[in-house]
Amino acid sequence: MSTWKPLRPDPESPERREAVATLARATVAAIVAASLPRIPAAAAAPRAASESDWTAWAQAAQSAVAAGVDKWTAGSTVHGGEINGSSLFLPPGSLDGPAFAATVEQAVAGAGALPQIAAGLAQATWQPWATWSRDYTLSVPRAVRAFAAVAASEVGPTPLGARSLRSGSAPGRVGLTAAVLPQIFAQVVPGANDPAAAAPLQALANWYASAFTKWFNRAKLQNLVMGKGPIPTFAPPYVPVGPVVGGAVDGIAVILATSFS
């Protein structure tokens, strides 16, 4: 007797590839639109930069991104999460942290890059990070089983258990892949299409994508706290228990992760 198993989408199907490509195009367009207004116009035609110049600038950006992500992690917050019954929901926009574009810009400028190149590399590395974190969402149907039936009119601040960050989803993650980052560099960083820039910027993209994947897969969400949550149906003695409805979830230093490298 055969056992029926549900069909799963083929990750290599043309439909899936087209969906991923469409998402990538939309993500690149949004990142470019957010980045370009923050990059100063060149005062004059710059001299042609050598590959060693681009290598120095890319390495400066890499070190600054690593330090910036570690500070982002330490300062990460969640605001606007919800508990309904036993379900936890973090909507898009609830995960945040301190921007590190200025850190990258200063480091690249310190390595000798022109202001527009320093600003371009800063935006081309910060905006993809800002996009995935802004897009991040987490939904856990039975995160806090006890909140499905509470014998009280409300519950006070309650620590919630740690969760793997990869339990959630973020469509904007596509902007932090080795295939898409070079597209962002090409449209955001002045001079990125020069032959001398190709290898250093691809190396930066490869490092960033690999470091992000390792970081994301190992990171955990912690320090989430549900603030006061009402139980509107609680009406003893006829209704002695009820579910939490609209309980607020917040937290500071919410990401536990290894150093970004």
Side-chain angles (χ1 to χ4, degrees):
M1 181 178 180
S2 63
T3 302
W4 179 84
K5 293 183 179 180
L7 295 176
R8 295 182 179 179
D10 180 359
E12 298 302 320
S13 69
E15 293 80 6
R16 179 176 174 79
R17 289 198 299 268
E18 180 57 31
V20 171
T22 299
L23 175 61
R25 288 192 293 269
T27 301
V28 170
I31 289 172
V32 171
S35 300
L36 292 181
R38 295 173 170 82
I39 299 171
R47 68 172 179 84
S50 67
E51 185 168 337
S52 62
D53 290 331
W54 281 104
T55 297
W57 302 338
Q59 290 176 346
Q62 176 175 323
S63 296
V65 167
V69 170
D70 287 344
K71 289 183 179 179
W72 185 95
T73 300
S76 57
T77 61
V78 160
H79 294 295
E82 292 185 359
I83 286 281
N84 287 292
S86 62
S87 299
L88 167 66
F89 179 56
L90 302 183
S94 58
L95 177 62
D96 199 6
F100 53 78
T103 300
V104 178
E105 186 170 355
Q106 291 167 8
V108 177
L114 292 171
Q116 63 269 26
I117 294 176
L121 275 169
Q123 292 301 318
T125 50
W126 161 247
Q127 291 295 341
W129 187 274
T131 297
W132 89 260
S133 57
R134 183 186 63 241
D135 285 354
Y136 184 81
T137 182
L138 174 68
S139 180
V140 184
R142 292 179 290 278
V144 193
R145 294 176 185 271
F147 288 172
V150 180
S153 59
E154 69 176 21
V155 292
T158 305
L160 306 180
R163 299 271 169 188
S164 171
L165 191 63
R166 64 181 181 180
S167 298
S169 63
R173 280 187 61 189
V174 72
L176 283 165
T177 60
V180 174
L181 279 165
Q183 300 176 41
I184 296 169
F185 293 164
Q187 297 187 55
V188 171
V189 182
N193 293 307
D194 293 346
L201 291 183
Q202 185 64 60
L204 176 61
N206 292 343
W207 165 81
Y208 200 179
S210 175
F212 175 73
T213 297
K214 289 187 294 184
W215 180 93
F216 186 84
N217 287 338
R218 297 172 182 172
K220 292 185 180 298
L221 274 169
Q222 62 170 7
N223 296 336
L224 296 181
V225 176
M226 193 204 76
K228 287 186 178 180
I231 295 89
T233 59
F234 178 69
Y238 302 105
V239 186
V241 297
V244 173
V245 176
V249 176
D250 300 291
I252 58 175
V254 296
I255 303 291
L256 176 65
T258 58
S259 180
F260 196 85
S261 61

